[in-house]
Amino acid sequence: MNIVIAGVGGQGIILASRALAEAALNAGLSVRTAETIGMAQREGAVASYVRIGVSDYGPLIPQGTADILVACEPAEGARHIAWLRRGGRAVIATSPVIPVSVSLGTSSYDVGAVLRFLEEAIERPCFLDAAALAREAGSIKALNMVMLGALSRLDLPLAADELLKAALKLLPPQVQTINRHAFALGRQAMEGL
């Protein structure tokens, strides 16, 4: 199974992919991971590639072969749509992270147009207001846990509890309650989708 997790710096993309990889290893599955990190500390693009159950391939996922795309930001979803295979699943956070160039007025970001593009381009997209769910859990920083919770509703070869356990192991104790709640809200949001 090939999973691409995309977003921008500060959204916890790397932590999410490490939790997913750790949970897969704990389930006895082989795992390969890779990351592309540009200007991550300045809200630049970040992508993680997690390959579960493959041992004869490298860690990078070729375009057109991802079974699942998890996009923590709409434009990053559009940027990484080429990795999703035909019939693959996508979970996309609908809240944009506004680039500095847009804030300065030197470029524009029409999030509605991006979401319409994704809806037309993906066979079965799942759109989540993950930012609102993360705030409901107690912190916008838990957006990655909302997305992991949503991901756990798709046909992963590992149990949701194991994914949550692996993620919490990577977090300090003082934020675990918020992140546990965020994970549950992500799972709940996917019910019926």
Side-chain angles (χ1 to χ4, degrees):
M1 172 172 272
N2 293 329
I3 301 170
V4 175
I5 304 174
V8 298
Q11 289 190 305
I13 306 303
I14 304 303
L15 186 140
S17 67
R18 289 186 179 157
L20 181 58
E22 184 71 28
L25 286 171
N26 291 341
L29 301 166
S30 61
V31 180
R32 300 272 194 264
T33 65
E35 295 140 2
T36 57
I37 303 170
M39 299 288 283
Q41 292 183 344
R42 297 183 183 200
E43 299 182 345
V46 177
S48 286
Y49 308 90
V50 181
R51 305 186 86 176
I52 300 172
V54 295
S55 57
D56 296 337
Y57 298 103
L60 292 176
I61 297 173
Q63 289 189 4
T65 65
D67 300 291
I68 299 172
L69 169 63
V70 177
C72 296
E73 203 283 326
E76 294 309 314
R79 186 190 316 267
H80 291 88
I81 196 169
W83 272 261
L84 191 63
R85 70 170 170 78
R86 186 179 204 99
R89 301 293 310 266
V91 181
I92 300 158
T94 57
S95 297
V97 175
I98 303 299
V100 173
S101 60
V102 173
S103 298
L104 294 173
T106 58
S107 66
S108 63
Y109 183 172
D110 184 348
V111 69
V114 172
L115 292 173
R116 285 190 297 278
F117 165 76
L118 290 168
E119 188 167 18
E120 292 172 7
I122 300 170
E123 291 179 35
R124 298 181 297 163
C126 299
F127 294 103
L128 295 180
D129 189 349
L133 294 172
R135 284 189 205 96
E136 182 181 335
S139 173
I140 187 66
K141 293 180 180 178
L143 184 141
N144 60 344
M145 290 298 287
V146 170
M147 298 304 281
L148 277 181
L151 172 64
S152 74
R153 283 284 187 179
L154 302 180
D155 296 323
L156 295 179
L158 51 98
D161 289 350
E162 291 301 318
L163 179 55
L164 175 61
K165 184 177 164 185
L168 292 177
K169 193 174 172 184
L170 297 172
L171 295 166
Q174 63 270 26
V175 298
Q176 291 193 1
T177 299
I178 289 171
N179 283 278
R180 184 177 285 113
H181 189 202
F183 188 89
L185 289 172
R187 283 188 56 78
Q188 184 180 351
M190 290 291 284
E191 286 180 2
L193 294 180

